[in-house]
């Protein structure tokens, strides 16, 4: 078996789990399930990013310890992954002792590229990030995202010599040994590299931020949260000594959102090169989800709750919409109208109906006996290529072409007419061919809609009908539209 390592980014836990995390783990879960289906030995990780001033500040506000806040919020992200049927093998928290210890080992192993220097700049604790003079002036000294003044910061920090690795990263991107998908994101990164990367600050003074991993050998400093969070991708495998690290690194795919492309396509490779270890094979960058054309924000009241969608429509319907109707290579839009339309038309009327019609006819004409099922006849090359390219929307399009083709086949063959004519041999062939198609569709759906795939397979198992009591994707109308108006 070939080893296959896959990660998502780890969300910062200062708030509730958001739809961006739901989208990301779902995309990654397709990759993981597909890799397993292809016979790979998979480690799939996700987790939470838990240090930093923002957590410290919020905990103070709530009069609890940062660790208690981290525990509370991390559990919510873990719970969401469960609700979405995500098959992650590990869930790493940056407050795990193992992560903290290994992050310190990494710091020591990078020491030739770490130096101390004075730093002057503008900082927003809401972003846990520094901003340039130009940005601060544009915003009249107030961070628009957090409605608070930037802090002028003058401090001694440790820096990582990222500039030293600029050309190596550029080369890896250009020769394709480090793939960044889609191409538009790769080009953005190439642009940054051609300008030249600057060294980056990787620590903060402990007197200002105490909620962080101590810098080895310097009691006055903690690691900058952004830097330390990136290390999770190897600490979770037990860098440097564990067998898993030796067997599974470099990652086959790392999945991240477009807002952190720079961290993963420039800074992270720099750290890896500093450690003398291989770059990941691929970085897949996904876009954002808007709601009814607007950016999601608490103040607009348009925050969508993935758990509620799952409760109403089922987990596979959630996965379906976000995998097919949010473009794999860009930003997408969610609205309950669109969601319901896709649910009723594509899942209910097309897929659900194809299964239902087949079941009903086999029951009626053949007493539930399917008989010999012919082997699948499509090569599905488009489907497999789409997954290799992380075009999950395209892969599902190709499955749906087959679903529509099957419904068309049924309409043209008219098994009910064949039954009336009494040609039982021909009827058996037509029905068995329908089942063969459905089983092939189910196989293609395994990574995407695992529960639906399992239902279809079990209905037609062993050439006998094992009909379910409920139809797949029963019609739901105006559930949420009503609810939103009321709320
Ligand atoms: Zn801010």
């Amino acid at each position: 078996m070939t080893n296959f390592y896959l990660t998502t980014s780890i969300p910062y836990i200062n708030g509730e789990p958001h739809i961006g995390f739901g989208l990301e783990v779902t995309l990654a879960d397709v990759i993981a399930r597909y890799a397993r289906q292809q016979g790979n030995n998979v480690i799939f990780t996700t987790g939470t990013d838990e240090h930093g001033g923002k957590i410290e500040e919020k905990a103070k506000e709530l009069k609890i310890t940062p660790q208690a806040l981290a525990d509370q919020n991390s559990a919510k992200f873990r719970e969401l992954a469960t609700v979405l049927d995500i098959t992650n093998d590990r869930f790493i928290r940056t407050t795990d002792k193992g992560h903290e210890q290994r992050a310190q080992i990494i710091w020591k192993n990078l020491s030739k590229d770490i130096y101390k220097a004075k730093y002057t700049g503008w900082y927003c604790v809401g972003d846990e990030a520094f901003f340039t003079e130009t940005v601060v002036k544009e915003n009249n000294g107030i961070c628009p995202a957090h409605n608070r003044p930037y802090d002028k910061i003058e401090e001694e920090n440790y820096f990582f010599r990222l500039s030293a690795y600029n050309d190596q990263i550029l080369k890896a991107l250009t020769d394709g040994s480090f793939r960044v998908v889609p191409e538009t994101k790769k080009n953005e990164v190439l642009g940054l590299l051609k300008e030249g990367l600057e060294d980056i600050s990787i620590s903060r003074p402990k007197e200002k931020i105490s909620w962080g991993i101590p810098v080895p050998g310097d009691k006055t400093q903690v690691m900058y949260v952004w830097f330390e969070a990136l290390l999770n991708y190897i600490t979770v495998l037990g860098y440097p000594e564990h067998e898993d690290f030796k067997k599974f690194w470099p990652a086959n795919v790392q999945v991240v959102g477009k807002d952190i492309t720079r961290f993963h396509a420039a800074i992270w490779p720099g750290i890896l090169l500093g450690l003398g270890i291989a770059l990941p094979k691929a970085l897949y960058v996904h876009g954002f989800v808007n709601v009814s054309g607007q950016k999601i924000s608490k103040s607009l009241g348009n925050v969508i709750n993935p758990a509620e969608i799952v409760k109403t429509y089922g987990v596979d319907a959630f996965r379906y919409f976000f995998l097919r109707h949010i473009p794999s290579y860009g930003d997408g839009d969610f609205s309950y109208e669109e969601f319901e339309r896709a649910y009723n038309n594509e899942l209910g009327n097309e897929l659900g109906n194809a299964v239902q019609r087949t079941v009903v006819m086999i029951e009626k004409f053949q007493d539930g006996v399917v008989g010999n099922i012919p082997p699948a006849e499509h090569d599905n090359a488009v489907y497999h290529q789409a997954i290799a390219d992380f075009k999950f929307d395209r892969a599902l399009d190709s499955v749906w072409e087959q679903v529509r083709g099957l419904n068309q086949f049924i309409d043209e063959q008219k098994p009910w007419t064949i039954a009336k004519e009494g040609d039982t041999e021909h009827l058996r062939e037509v029905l068995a061919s329908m089942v063969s198609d459905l089983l092939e569709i189910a196989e293609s759906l395994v990574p995407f809609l695992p529960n639906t795939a399992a239902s279809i397979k079990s209905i037609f198992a062993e050439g006998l009908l094992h009909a379910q009591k409920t139809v797949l994707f029963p019609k739901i109308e105006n559930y949420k539209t009503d609810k939103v108006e009321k709320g």
Side-chain angles (χ1 to χ4, degrees):
M1 268 209 277
T2 312
N3 294 326
F4 188 100
Y5 179 43
L6 164 73
T7 70
T8 71
S9 66
I10 52 172
Y12 199 54
I13 49 138
N14 61 321
E16 298 287 313
H18 39 85
I19 198 72
F21 177 68
L23 172 68
E24 184 163 311
V25 288
T26 304
L27 292 163
D29 191 55
V30 174
I31 302 171
R33 286 178 189 265
Y34 181 79
R36 289 189 201 104
Q37 199 183 21
Q38 301 297 310
N40 294 288
N41 185 24
V42 177
I43 293 183
F44 168 22
T45 68
T46 186
T48 42
D49 174 11
E50 307 185 2
H51 289 119
K54 232 193 294 191
I55 303 295
E56 198 173 350
E57 200 177 63
K58 182 110 184 200
K60 201 177 272 173
E61 220 176 276
L62 298 168
K63 298 193 169 64
I64 54 175
T65 63
Q67 186 65 57
L69 177 64
D71 290 348
Q72 242 173 52
N73 285 1
S74 176
K76 293 179 192 167
F77 283 85
R78 192 192 288 255
E79 168 64 22
L80 178 58
T82 308
V83 165
L84 298 177
D85 273 357
I86 304 307
T87 55
N88 57 296
D89 303 283
R90 296 180 191 181
F91 189 98
I92 183 168
R93 301 180 53 188
T94 56
T95 55
D96 290 341
K97 279 286 155 284
H99 173 76
E100 296 184 349
Q101 285 164 3
R102 291 176 192 284
Q104 291 180 320
I105 294 172
I106 292 169
W107 184 286
K108 287 181 197 156
N109 290 350
L110 283 175
S111 59
K112 69 175 185 342
D113 288 320
I114 293 178
Y115 61 92
K116 212 168 189 183
K118 203 164 223 122
Y119 188 88
T120 315
W122 296 97
Y123 193 80
C124 171
V125 72
D127 301 278
E128 301 276 10
F130 290 97
F131 292 88
T132 61
E133 197 72 40
T134 326
V135 171
V136 173
K137 269 199 188 129
E138 268 169 22
N139 295 325
N140 299 317
I142 293 172
C143 172
H146 300 94
N147 200 26
R148 59 193 284 169
Y150 295 100
D151 298 317
K152 175 94 182 202
I153 280 179
E154 240 191 88
E155 57 191 36
E156 276 229 307
N157 288 337
Y158 287 99
F159 279 73
F160 173 67
R161 213 181 302 280
L162 181 61
S163 58
Y165 298 102
N166 194 85
D167 294 351
Q168 271 176 273
I169 303 168
L170 186 62
K171 182 172 173 295
L173 268 172
T174 316
D175 70 20
S177 56
F178 174 42
R179 243 174 107 207
V180 173
V181 180
E183 195 76 14
T184 50
K185 295 293 168 229
K186 177 182 158 182
N187 291 337
E188 266 178 46
V189 181
L190 285 174
L192 286 174
L193 292 164
K194 280 170 190 160
E195 276 175 35
L197 297 171
E198 286 175 18
D199 293 350
I200 51 161
S201 162
I202 56 168
S203 75
R204 301 290 324 270
K206 196 173 174 153
E207 53 175 29
K208 290 186 182 152
I209 290 176
S210 64
W211 185 237
I213 302 177
V215 166
D218 186 341
K219 289 197 176 72
T220 69
Q221 297 265 325
V222 299
M223 294 183 198
Y224 192 15
V225 60
W226 275 108
F227 167 75
E228 164 252 300
L230 288 169
L231 309 180
N232 91 84
Y233 304 124
I234 55 175
T235 64
V236 70
L237 292 180
Y239 172 88
E241 85 292 354
H242 199 283
E243 204 185 334
D244 284 346
F245 172 71
K246 291 170 190 158
K247 286 199 326 215
F248 283 85
W249 190 264
N252 294 70
V253 191
Q254 300 204 269
V255 182
V256 303
K258 66 174 188 180
D259 54 330
I260 49 175
T261 310
R262 187 177 138 260
F263 284 93
H264 289 84
I267 298 175
W268 175 229
I271 295 169
L272 291 168
L273 290 166
L275 290 170
I277 59 182
L279 303 190
K281 290 175 190 158
L283 180 73
Y284 164 53
V285 181
H286 66 81
F288 287 164
V289 180
N290 296 318
V291 169
S292 308
Q294 283 179 306
K295 228 177 127 172
I296 297 177
S297 83
K298 266 189 195 152
S299 56
L300 283 173
N302 64 351
V303 176
I304 38 180
N305 178 355
E308 186 167 331
I309 298 175
V310 168
K311 213 168 112 195
T312 311
Y313 302 93
V315 62
D316 279 13
F318 177 96
R319 294 173 63 106
Y320 175 79
F321 186 85
F322 284 86
L323 292 167
R324 189 172 184 206
H325 292 289
I326 300 297
S328 307
Y329 278 13
D331 293 346
D333 197 60
F334 174 91
S335 71
Y336 279 99
E337 290 77 7
E338 272 308 296
F339 187 93
E340 258 173 22
R341 191 200 52 73
Y343 176 93
N344 285 325
N345 293 349
E346 294 156 20
L347 291 173
N349 291 344
E350 293 177 342
L351 178 61
N353 207 21
V355 173
Q356 195 58 20
R357 294 167 91 184
T358 308
V359 165
V360 166
M361 285 188 268
I362 292 171
E363 253 167 7
K364 188 170 169 192
F365 303 137
Q366 294 181 171
D367 290 328
V369 179
V370 184
N372 273 343
I373 302 166
E377 51 183 35
H378 303 87
D379 74 350
N380 295 332
V382 172
Y383 167 88
H384 293 291
Q385 188 56 49
I387 294 179
D389 294 337
F390 311 118
K391 287 182 181 168
F392 306 108
D393 46 2
R394 183 72 198 91
L396 279 174
D397 285 348
S398 81
V399 179
W400 250 256
E401 277 160 32
Q402 214 181 330
V403 172
R404 289 190 184 126
L406 173 57
N407 278 317
Q408 206 177 345
F409 174 82
I410 300 171
D411 293 341
E412 285 164 6
Q413 291 293 321
K414 298 186 176 59
W416 48 93
T417 310
I418 307 174
K420 221 180 265 171
E421 289 160 356
D423 190 348
T424 52
E425 188 56 27
H426 184 42
L427 180 63
R428 194 180 292 280
E429 269 172 32
V430 169
L431 294 177
S433 144
M434 284 156 57
V435 173
S436 170
D437 266 11
L438 283 172
L439 290 175
E440 199 182 323
I441 288 163
E443 201 56 34
S444 300
L445 289 179
V446 165
F448 294 86
L449 314 181
N451 304 293
T452 306
S455 291
I456 296 173
K457 286 184 185 184
S458 77
I459 290 173
F460 302 108
E462 293 151 23
L464 285 174
L465 214 56
H466 307 266
Q468 310 197 114
K469 286 184 196 78
T470 50
V471 292
L472 298 174
F473 308 108
K475 204 170 178 70
I476 296 181
E477 260 173 318
N478 298 327
Y479 165 76
K480 193 63 198 192
T481 354
D482 292 352
K483 210 163 169 185
V484 164
E485 279 158 16
K486 269 186 260 155

